[in-house]
Amino acid sequence: MSTVRGARERARIEVTAAIKDEAKKQLAAEGAAKLSLRAVARELGMASSAIYRYFPSRDELLTALIVDAYDSVGEAAEAAHRAAAETAGHLARWIAVTRAVRDWALAHPHEYALIYGSPVPGYTAPQATIGPASRVGLVLIAVVADAHRTDGLALPPLAGDLRAEAARMVTEFAPDLPPEAAPPLIAAWAQLFGLISFEIFGQFHRVVEAREAFFREAVTEMARTVGLPAGDG
């Protein structure tokens, strides 16, 4: 009986992967707004009713693709951090992580567009996406928190009207950091994806040509604003 169950589980995994792969092709060709379970089933030679046993709705398939994309870019950031953590300084780690995120986006533009592009009409992301979506941010926090523990951060004092908000931020997602670190870190996180989005979606066309050098300079400046020690990159 266990052999039969194992075969069924393997078959389900294989079919689920095939559905996701075909859905990614549709994302590349048509965009997320036009993703259709029936169209995916048709391309795979499945009955329309059969695909609903794997994904009961378009939104569930979208959620699976979104979680996969967040996990993929998160894994890229985490791998870059691990690789740099043994020998590199804080600035070099920051640059390695941000470069890994950009490299992932350039290699997976359609998945990037799914998670950082325009919202899909009629779709509301469920709680299941929050953890995967946090992975890149948590790596950036880890780089800054390690610098804070070992060398300290060079940060200006907070504006008075931002102190309560900054205290809330560090309490909720960065308890190892001082409140002064939270606002510039959030700003750097937003700037990172703004830079990448401008490149992916074509806003840098005929504006920035030396994009690798431009990106490195920009993320180095971000590192300064979050208080990382200079001179180790």
Side-chain angles (χ1 to χ4, degrees), residues 37-79:
L37 285 175
R38 290 180 179 273
V40 171
R42 183 170 59 251
E43 291 298 321
L44 293 176
M46 298 175 66
S48 297
S49 57
I51 197 170
Y52 290 98
R53 294 200 293 269
Y54 296 87
F55 295 98
S57 68
R58 180 210 69 159
D59 283 6
E60 292 206 21
L61 177 54
L62 267 176
T63 295
L65 297 175
I66 288 167
V67 167
D68 284 354
Y70 276 131
D71 278 336
S72 183
V73 67
E75 288 166 6
E78 290 161 3

Side-chain angles (χ1 to χ4, degrees), residues 26-213:
Q26 288 197 17
L27 288 179
E30 303 287 344
K34 294 186 178 180
L35 181 64
S36 163
L37 285 175
R38 290 180 179 273
V40 171
R42 183 170 59 251
E43 291 298 321
L44 293 176
M46 298 175 66
S48 297
S49 57
I51 197 170
Y52 290 98
R53 294 200 293 269
Y54 296 87
F55 295 98
S57 68
R58 180 210 69 159
D59 283 6
E60 292 206 21
L61 177 54
L62 267 176
T63 295
L65 297 175
I66 288 167
V67 167
D68 284 354
Y70 276 131
D71 278 336
S72 183
V73 67
E75 288 166 6
E78 290 161 3
H81 186 226
R82 285 194 302 270
E86 294 299 322
T87 58
H90 306 299
L91 175 58
R93 295 180 206 177
W94 176 273
I95 292 171
V97 169
T98 55
R99 179 181 287 160
V101 175
R102 174 178 179 263
D103 289 347
W104 181 90
L106 292 172
H108 304 86
H110 303 296
E111 287 99 324
Y112 181 89
L114 177 63
I115 55 178
Y116 293 112
S118 299
V120 180
Y123 174 78
T124 300
Q127 287 287 116
T129 62
I130 293 176
S134 303
R135 291 176 69 170
V136 170
L138 291 174
V139 177
L140 296 176
I141 290 171
V143 174
V144 177
D146 186 56
H148 175 56
R149 282 191 300 270
T150 58
D151 297 309
L153 301 173
L155 291 166
L158 279 172
D161 58 356
L162 196 54
R163 288 174 186 165
E165 176 67 357
R168 181 196 64 78
M169 288 175 176
V170 295
T171 298
E172 291 191 6
F173 53 79
D176 295 330
L177 290 175
E180 292 80 6
L185 185 53
I186 295 297
W189 173 62
Q191 289 163 13
L192 170 63
F193 287 104
L195 276 173
I196 295 170
S197 292
F198 263 50
E199 184 169 4
I200 294 293
F201 301 135
Q203 281 91 344
F204 280 156
H205 180 59
R206 299 184 66 181
V207 177
V208 178
E209 298 299 332
R211 293 176 186 170
E212 173 68 30

